[in-house]
């Protein structure tokens, strides 16, 4: 798929995310791979429901360098880390939904385990509700390079799949293209809501 088509798909996904309320108050950041050495990522401080093509910046994967005078999203280093980690990743979506933010705080371990849900099959490669989907949780940090290094180091013993949570911050997920990343986001958000409601009911 050409860059223009992928960017158009990403714009549509961003508007949909904005309508869902999953990136309120200009929060979140979204990107798409652009060749082997760059990605296009949202500029900082932009309302995701109102983005235009001009609100995406071309960033070097190796250096994180953006066009002079413009500021890419704060978590750009996490996007470039993911693209460098896995050449199959074609798009990355980072959102701040209530469900992902709350679950990242109430889950005390370093991993959110999802199992028993039919909608697990919305995630690529999942064929049964009997399997376990593991979503790692990392402590939030304003030091993005150090956080990216920590996440990268964790993959040596537990490869990343679908997404990860930052505690009190939200979800970062991805896919081979925008369509797959969007499906993973919607599937995970549904699973997060189910898991939160299950825990609330069991706590009564």
């Amino acid at each position: 798929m050409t860059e223009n088509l992928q960017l158009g798909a990403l714009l549509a996904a961003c508007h949909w995310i904005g309508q869902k309320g999953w990136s309120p108050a200009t929060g979140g950041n979204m990107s798409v791979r652009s060749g082997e050495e760059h990605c296009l990522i949202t500029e900082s401080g932009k309302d995701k429901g109102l983005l235009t093509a001009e609100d995406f910046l071309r960033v070097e994967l190796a250096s994180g360098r953006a066009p002079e005078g413009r500021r890419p999203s704060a978590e750009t280093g996490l996007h470039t880390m993911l693209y460098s980690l896995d050449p199959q990743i074609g798009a990355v979506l980072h959102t701040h939904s209530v469900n992902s933010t709350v679950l990242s705080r109430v889950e005390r371990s370093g991993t959110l385990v999802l199992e028993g849900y039919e909608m697990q099959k919305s995630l690529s490669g999942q064929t049964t509700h009997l399997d376990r989907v593991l979503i790692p949780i990392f402590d939030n940090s304003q030091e993005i390079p150090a956080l990216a290094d920590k996440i990268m180091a964790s993959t040596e013993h537990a490869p990343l799949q679908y997404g990860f949570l930052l505690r009190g911050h939200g979800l970062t997920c991805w896919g081979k293209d925008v369509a797959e990343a969007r499906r993973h986001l919607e599937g995970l958000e549904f699973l997060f809501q189910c898991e939160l409601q299950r825990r609330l009911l069991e706590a009564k």
Side-chain angles (χ1 to χ4, degrees):
M1 187 179 292
T2 68
E3 180 179 291
N4 285 342
L5 286 175
Q6 277 288 75
L7 182 56
L10 184 57
L11 266 174
C14 289
H15 295 165
W16 168 73
I17 288 168
Q19 291 168 1
K20 290 282 191 179
W22 290 344
S23 287
T26 76
N29 34 78
M30 296 81 187
S31 69
V32 64
R33 186 187 290 273
S34 178
E36 296 182 0
E37 299 180 357
H38 296 86
C39 70
L40 299 174
I41 191 166
T42 45
E43 189 167 11
S44 181
K46 299 289 184 177
D47 186 324
K48 303 309 176 291
L50 300 174
L51 291 176
T52 68
E54 288 68 38
D55 295 320
F56 288 84
L57 308 182
R58 187 177 300 276
V59 169
E60 292 182 355
L61 299 184
S63 67
R65 187 179 298 116
E68 187 175 352
R70 301 183 68 182
R71 186 161 62 96
S73 291
E75 286 87 19
T76 293
L78 300 183
H79 291 247
T80 57
M81 177 271 294
L82 287 166
Y83 289 124
S84 300
L85 178 68
D86 185 351
Q88 298 303 311
I89 293 177
V92 178
L93 306 175
H94 169 55
T95 54
H96 293 184
S97 73
V98 172
N99 291 331
S100 64
T101 303
V102 172
L103 259 182
S104 72
R105 296 199 63 185
V106 300
E107 174 55 58
R108 301 298 185 183
S109 73
T111 305
L112 174 64
V113 179
L114 301 168
E115 58 182 327
Y117 298 110
E118 181 68 13
M119 277 297 291
Q120 290 169 210
K121 294 193 294 185
S122 66
L123 306 173
S124 294
Q126 295 295 318
T127 60
T128 173
H129 66 286
L130 298 176
D131 287 339
R132 305 166 83 220
V133 175
L134 307 179
I135 305 297
I137 304 173
F138 300 97
D139 289 336
N140 192 24
S141 173
Q142 306 305 305
E143 299 298 326
I144 298 301
L147 178 57
D149 287 345
K150 181 178 180 180
I151 295 172
M152 179 76 81
S154 76
T155 65
E156 295 180 5
H157 57 82
L160 294 173
Q161 279 189 304
Y162 314 118
F164 59 79
L165 291 165
L166 296 179
R167 209 173 292 280
H169 189 153
L171 169 69
T172 299
C173 68
W174 52 84
K176 65 183 179 183
D177 53 25
V178 174
E180 185 173 82
R182 177 170 171 166
R183 189 180 79 246
H184 288 167
L185 173 61
E186 187 169 22
L188 287 170
E189 283 293 344
F190 176 87
L191 292 167
F192 292 165
Q193 185 169 2
C194 289
E195 185 65 13
L196 269 179
Q197 292 192 18
R198 181 189 69 81
R199 294 182 183 202
L200 285 171
L201 290 170
E202 289 184 351
K204 291 184 177 179

